[in-house]
Amino acid sequence: MMLSLGPIIFGLILGLVIGSQIKPNIGDAKFTLASFVAILIAGIIIAWQAGNYPFYTGLPISFAFLSALIGILVGILLFSRRK
């Protein structure tokens, strides 16, 4: 199983930066626990459908996309700009 850490670390850092700029509670839009779970499930399905690079073997899931999604969610929870 070949696992490249470069895209995973870059996706996590980029996700943290993007997630820190998202404002979760503006006007009528509220991020609840159910919305975070729905986004995570949809992201896992997309990462599974995207697959890994063709020459990587192992699990058929895009770890770079999944780490960027986790970075966005963590960035929203920890560093997001509050109103």
Side-chain angles (χ1 to χ4, degrees):
M1 183 164 122
M2 183 176 175
L3 185 66
S4 178
L5 293 178
I8 294 172
I9 293 171
F10 182 71
L12 187 64
I13 292 171
L14 187 63
L16 283 171
V17 170
I18 292 172
S20 69
Q21 300 300 314
I22 295 175
K23 299 175 186 169
N25 298 324
I26 295 178
D28 296 349
K30 302 276 190 237
F31 275 91
T32 61
L33 181 61
S35 64
F36 281 116
V37 170
I39 290 170
L40 187 64
I41 290 172
I44 290 172
I45 291 171
I46 290 171
W48 175 60
Q49 290 296 318
N52 232 341
Y53 292 119
F55 50 87
Y56 291 165
T57 59
L59 299 175
I61 190 167
S62 175
F63 287 111
F65 182 82
L66 198 58
S67 68
L69 177 70
I70 291 170
I72 288 173
L73 293 177
V74 169
I76 288 173
L77 293 174
L78 295 180
F79 308 116
S80 67
R81 297 180 175 190
R82 302 284 180 206
K83 208 175 182 187

